[in-house]
Amino acid sequence: MMNMDPALDMQKASQLLKLLGDKTRLMMMKLLQSHDCCVCEFVAIFNMSQPGISQHLRKLKDAGLVKETRRGQWVFYSLNRENEYGGFIDDLLKHLPDQNERFVELEAQGLRITCE
Amino acid sequence: MMNMDPALDMQKASQLLKLLGDKTRLMMMKLLQSHDCCVCEFVAIFNMSQPGISQHLRKLKDAGLVKETRRGQWVFYSLNRENEYGGFIDDLLKHLPDQNERFVELEAQGLRITCE
DNA sequence: TACATATATAAGTACATAATTATATAATAA
DNA sequence: TTATTATATAATTATGTACTTATATATGTA
């Protein structure tokens, strides 16, 4: 049978799984599947300090799973679709429950950043 | 879109990923996909003490991912195919490289336990 | 300019984790 | 029975991790 991730060895796979084996980071990835997010939105969603959020995002970025883009005073994070393990990650995330509700809540609180 | 694992919430998913985010346990699961294994075979495969192996197996068992069966003096471990998160686990493991080579090596060293 | 907002980094801390060695338990063989 | 093999558990230790608060940096605004 064809191996669809020839570069995904045990070492790399376990690193990725460890990274996603944290509830906050896993949910960040699921959220980013539907919307880009800035740091302050994550701070509003998770019950955690801003530095805590930034540190989780840094780990995801270091692993190549997300990208950051500054837009004005905000830094937006998005999935890195060019990541070589994207197929693995997608296959994993598709098993998780949709989190769009979180964005609806944000909107309701007026905390959604649109940033023209 | 249908969610195929209605019971797999973020909490549970991150627990499972953390469990598999260890190289030894991840490889154990991949090995068990093709062959049941007794503890001493794992000890021969991994460069780790016997208690270390037993402790990893315990965690996999506590999470319901594997089952144990005593056969004579050996305790064999196998995948728990009735596990409610089996679909998630399978989807994950299918991305990993086949490990049958390890069993070939074991056989060559005369360390494979067949246990009639 | 000075001030406010958004984000990142540094430092510290509590806790979790994965390994080890020592020991206990269970099955088998002599 | 005693000894041997296989496995599990207990105790310990070193390291890693996920937070926190404090501070630095960068952007935007008055």
Side-chain angles (χ1 to χ4, degrees):
Chain A
M1 175 194 152
M2 268 293 288
N3 183 346
M4 291 180 292
D5 305 281
L8 187 57
D9 59 12
M10 286 289 169
Q11 179 62 41
K12 189 67 195 179
S14 59
Q15 278 174 9
L16 288 173
L17 293 175
K18 178 168 291 178
L19 197 68
L20 299 180
D22 175 277
K23 199 178 162 187
T24 302
R25 287 192 295 266
L26 186 62
M27 186 151 157
M28 282 174 161
M29 289 295 290
K30 187 68 183 179
L31 287 164
L32 290 176
Q33 253 194 338
S34 47
H35 302 81
D36 293 2
C37 256
C38 72
V39 178
C40 62
E41 288 174 311
F42 281 129
V43 172
I45 289 172
F46 295 100
N47 190 21
M48 189 181 301
S49 66
Q50 174 269 315
I53 296 294
S54 279
Q55 283 158 16
H56 281 303
L57 288 168
R58 174 91 123 94
K59 290 187 183 191
L60 293 174
K61 195 185 68 170
D62 286 350
L65 298 187
V66 305
K67 294 181 300 185
E68 59 175 15
T69 317
R70 182 174 278 278
R71 294 190 207 145
Q73 59 191 141
W74 298 285
V75 174
F76 276 77
Y77 283 82
S78 56
L79 290 189
N80 176 15
R81 311 270 178 193
E82 280 84 44
N83 175 52
E84 68 175 311
Y85 310 111
F88 182 56
I89 304 293
D90 282 351
D91 233 22
L92 229 153
L93 294 180
K94 78 178 184 213
H95 287 271
L96 305 179
D98 186 88
Q99 298 295 316
N100 279 311
E101 193 192 342
R102 307 286 168 172
F103 291 106
V104 176
E105 288 166 23
L106 265 195
E107 203 98 47
Q109 297 173 272
L111 293 174
R112 185 101 175 94
I113 306 291
T114 41
C115 181
E116 298 314 305
Chain B
M1 176 193 151
M2 269 291 288
N3 183 345
M4 292 180 292
D5 305 281
L8 185 57
D9 60 11
M10 286 289 169
Q11 179 62 40
K12 190 67 195 179
S14 59
Q15 277 174 10
L16 289 173
L17 294 176
K18 179 170 291 179
L19 198 67
L20 299 181
D22 174 279
K23 199 178 162 187
T24 302
R25 286 193 296 266
L26 186 61
M27 186 150 157
M28 282 174 161
M29 289 295 289
K30 187 68 184 181
L31 287 164
L32 289 176
Q33 253 195 337
S34 47
H35 302 81
D36 293 2
C37 256
C38 72
V39 178
C40 62
E41 289 175 310
F42 281 129
V43 173
I45 289 172
F46 295 100
N47 190 23
M48 190 181 299
S49 67
Q50 174 269 315
I53 296 294
S54 279
Q55 284 158 15
H56 281 303
L57 288 169
R58 174 91 122 92
K59 291 186 183 188
L60 292 174
K61 195 185 68 172
D62 287 350
L65 298 187
V66 305
K67 294 182 301 185
E68 58 175 18
T69 317
R70 182 173 278 278
R71 295 191 207 144
Q73 61 191 141
W74 298 285
V75 176
F76 276 75
Y77 283 84
S78 56
L79 289 190
N80 176 15
R81 310 270 178 191
E82 281 84 45
N83 175 52
E84 68 176 311
Y85 310 111
F88 182 56
I89 304 293
D90 283 350
D91 234 22
L92 220 152
L93 294 180
K94 78 178 183 214
H95 286 272
L96 305 179
D98 186 88
Q99 297 296 317
N100 278 312
E101 192 192 343
R102 307 287 167 171
F103 290 107
V104 176
E105 288 166 22
L106 265 195
E107 202 98 45
Q109 297 173 271
L111 293 174
R112 185 101 176 94
I113 307 291
T114 41
C115 180
E116 298 312 305

